[in-house]
């Protein structure tokens, strides 16, 4: 799924279950739920080079959400002003790589690993700027992180 302009949808892109997909170089604006959502064993996918912009619209949700999805790469995305949820959120998702993303001016967390059911994720090289709840919240198990830039 690449080179699309999506706006004003319930979800921008939603996979369940889907494996070995590329979600690259899309522009997604003002979805009412998550802009990119992988769930129910959507594994070994690449999410890269996407621009997600909520435009500050009240009620817009946003960001990238992995739920029960493993061994995915979330890299080189820009997620800006998406509204009421986290920029990047992992729930019950293991062995994912979250790297080199920009998460800026969201109402939720910059990056949120929501529970101990998320194991062995790597979070590295992200720029987390002015997210309301904070830049990073890790409730996962054995998360490795480093070289992230956090500015409140």
């Amino acid at each position: 799924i690449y080179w699309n302009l999506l706006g004003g949808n319930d979800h921008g892109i939603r996979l369940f279950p889907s494996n070995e997909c590329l979600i690259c170089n899309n522009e997604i604006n003002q979805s009412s739920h998550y802009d990119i959502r992988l769930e129910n064993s959507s594994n070994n996918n690449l999410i890269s080079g996407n621009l997600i912009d909520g435009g500050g619209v009240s009620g817009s949700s946003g960001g990238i959400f992995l739920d029960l999805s493993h061994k995915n790469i979330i890299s080189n995305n820009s997620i800006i002003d998406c509204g009421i949820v986290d920029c990047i959120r992992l729930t019950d998702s293991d062995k994912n790589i979250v790297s080199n993303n920009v998460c800026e001016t969201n109402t939720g967390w910059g990056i949120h690993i929501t529970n101990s059911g998320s194991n062995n994720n790597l979070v590295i090289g992200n720029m987390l700027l002015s997210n309301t709840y904070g830049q990073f919240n890790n409730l996962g198990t054995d998360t490795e992180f480093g070289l992230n830039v956090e500015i409140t």
Side-chain angles (χ1 to χ4, degrees):
I1 302 168
Y2 52 91
W3 295 110
N4 293 287
L5 175 59
L6 305 167
N9 298 304
D10 186 38
H11 290 279
I13 298 170
R14 186 175 184 188
L15 303 179
F16 59 97
S18 296
N19 298 317
E20 300 178 9
C21 296
L22 302 176
I23 301 173
C24 300
N25 301 314
N26 298 287
E27 183 175 335
I28 306 170
N29 299 299
Q30 301 174 2
S31 299
S32 59
H33 290 92
Y34 277 93
D35 293 292
I36 299 175
R37 180 174 179 149
L38 279 60
E39 57 188 313
N40 299 333
S41 296
S42 291
N43 304 324
N44 301 305
N45 298 291
L46 173 64
I47 301 170
S48 182
N50 299 287
L51 171 61
I52 298 171
D53 187 350
V57 174
S58 178
S60 69
S61 198
I64 298 171
F65 180 27
L66 272 58
D67 185 18
L68 292 167
S69 297
H70 314 292
K71 298 181 182 176
N72 297 287
I73 297 172
I74 301 171
S75 182
N76 298 309
N77 300 286
S78 294
I79 306 163
I80 302 165
D81 204 16
C82 283
I84 60 174
V85 294
D86 306 318
C87 183
I88 298 174
R89 180 181 184 116
L90 278 62
T91 299
D92 295 318
S93 297
D94 303 331
K95 298 179 182 174
N96 297 288
I97 298 171
V98 179
S99 67
N100 301 313
N101 299 286
V102 175
C103 299
E104 182 176 357
T105 321
N106 294 288
T107 305
W109 291 98
I111 297 174
H112 188 186
I113 301 176
T114 65
N115 61 11
S116 61
S118 294
N119 303 302
N120 301 301
N121 292 292
L122 174 63
V123 180
I124 190 166
N126 298 285
M127 184 169 290
L128 309 168
L129 307 165
S130 301
N131 296 290
T132 303
Y133 286 3
Q135 308 320 316
F136 184 63
N137 188 31
N138 175 31
L139 301 175
T141 304
D142 296 325
T143 303
E144 293 185 39
F145 59 96
L147 303 176
N148 297 293
V149 175
E150 301 180 31
I151 300 174
T152 56

